[in-house]
Amino acid sequence: MFEGEVALVTGGSSGIGRATAVAFAAEGAKVVVASRRSEESGETVRMVTDAGGEAFFVQADVSISADVQRMVAQTVERFGKLNYAFNNAGVGGNMVPTAEYPEDVFDKVVSINLKGVFLSMKYELPYIVATKGAIVNMSSVAGLVGGRVGVAYYASKHGVVGMTKAAALEYADKGVRINAVAPAVIKTPLTEGAGFLNKDTQLGAMMLARHPVGRLGEPEEVAQAVIWLCSKRASFTTGHTLPIDGGVLIP
Ligand SMILES: NC(=O)c1ccc[n+]([C@@H]2O[C@H](COP(=O)([O-])OP(=O)(O)OC[C@H]3O[C@@H](n4cnc5c(N)ncnc54)[C@H](O)[C@@H]3O)[C@@H](O)[C@H]2O)c1
């Protein structure tokens, strides 16, 4: 589907980003894996190359402008162009009520989850306009509905929904589509670390019970939605945030 094209995935060192890097390569794209962690990202690159694809790693912190500029510059230097970007890098932050939420953690979460998506789009867009490509930003069901304990996460993911709409409007007549995805709980190191995956605990059982399909999601199920949103099959879809949520948002 993407033969001869180039896809950039931020936060590609694990979880949903890794699965999406592999999925882009399986569809024929050359892939740039951007992340802070070199060892884990190297594993993603190996997974792509072992499957016959082409990929390289760029070390970048998406909250730092110079890193993001270098990430995009190295992509274009190496592969000559940029067709698709999945701005996925993110962190969870603390799980405490608002009055107890540490200010420095709030700043960190917003600077990675929200400003990181802004900086990524800012520096990717000139190249994606040139190829009439597509962008997918990472939001969350936490970007579409409220929830307790995690004010910075909810704020940042709601912000991504708004930025996606704003940028989609700005670039719609330039042939660039910009959408977001909003997963519910997906089995990744992030949700493992938050204690969401162990159904024998109260928190894990509660998380599972929220999903009408009776299970949590797999990273590959988000990856396939990103692939669809980037593909010509989604050629009339822009500015939307697509829930991938096992029915969580139905009620
Ligand atoms: N797993 C879920 O249930 C779930 C649900 C909704 C949304 N999300 C979002 O999906 C995205 C990926 O999360 P995941 O679950 O795959 O977790 P993960 O921890 O496996 O992946 C997060 C990735 O982001 C990278 N990253 C973190 N901070 C970064 C920074 N400053 N600069 C560059 N890279 C950075 C990490 O190195 C890693 O590659 C996040 O934005 C997360 O909020 C996850």
Side-chain angles (χ1 to χ4, degrees):
M1 200 187 299
F2 301 136
E3 275 78 14
E5 297 184 317
V6 179
L8 167 65
V9 178
T10 72
S13 65
S14 68
I16 297 167
R18 171 177 284 172
T20 308
V22 170
F24 266 121
E27 298 293 344
K30 294 174 188 160
V31 181
V32 182
V33 177
S35 190
R36 288 177 307 187
R37 298 177 299 173
S38 61
E39 202 173 305
E40 292 84 350
S41 299
E43 180 57 27
T44 305
V45 169
R46 260 192 302 281
M47 288 166 77
V48 168
T49 48
D50 283 355
E54 198 177 337
F56 81 100
F57 165 58
V58 178
Q59 193 153 30
D61 181 329
V62 296
S63 66
I64 298 173
S65 182
D67 278 23
V68 178
Q69 290 181 60
R70 187 174 39 76
M71 167 184 93
V72 175
Q74 286 185 11
T75 298
V76 176
E77 208 174 291
R78 175 85 173 256
F79 288 146
K81 61 180 174 180
L82 179 60
N83 300 88
Y84 310 109
F86 180 33
N87 299 320
N88 159 76
V91 292
N94 290 14
M95 289 177 66
V96 294
T98 301
E100 289 151 41
Y101 207 94
E103 210 176 314
D104 61 331
V105 178
F106 184 93
D107 286 344
K108 182 179 167 215
V109 171
V110 169
S111 74
I112 296 172
N113 294 7
L114 183 62
K115 188 180 173 195
V117 172
F118 159 67
L119 288 173
S120 299
M121 286 203 292
K122 177 175 169 62
Y123 293 108
E124 291 158 358
L125 269 162
Y127 296 101
I128 295 187
V129 167
T131 57
K132 294 193 190 304
I135 292 177
V136 177
N137 295 323
M138 176 53 89
S139 180
S140 163
V141 292
L144 295 170
V145 293
R148 296 178 186 91
V149 294
V151 66
Y153 193 75
Y154 284 89
S156 64
K157 295 301 186 182
H158 272 72
V160 169
V161 174
M163 275 199 315
T164 299
K165 289 180 183 176
L169 273 176
E170 290 167 358
Y171 291 88
D173 65 355
K174 296 176 180 62
V176 175
R177 294 178 304 100
I178 305 174
N179 292 286
V181 286
V185 179
I186 308 297
K187 294 182 213 158
T188 69
L190 186 136
T191 46
E192 170 116 61
F196 293 176
L197 304 188
N198 184 354
K199 63 178 171 23
D200 296 330
T201 64
Q202 201 185 355
L203 179 63
M206 188 185 78
M207 285 297 165
L208 183 59
R210 281 191 189 166
H211 294 69
V213 295
R215 65 174 178 86
L216 305 178
E218 300 292 339
E220 292 73 20
E221 295 179 288
V222 181
Q224 287 308 316
V226 176
I227 295 296
W228 178 75
L229 284 168
C230 288
S231 77
K232 300 279 183 293
R233 292 176 186 167
S235 53
F236 206 50
T237 299
T238 195
H240 291 289
T241 298
L242 176 65
I244 302 148
D245 68 343
V248 164
L249 294 179
I250 294 172

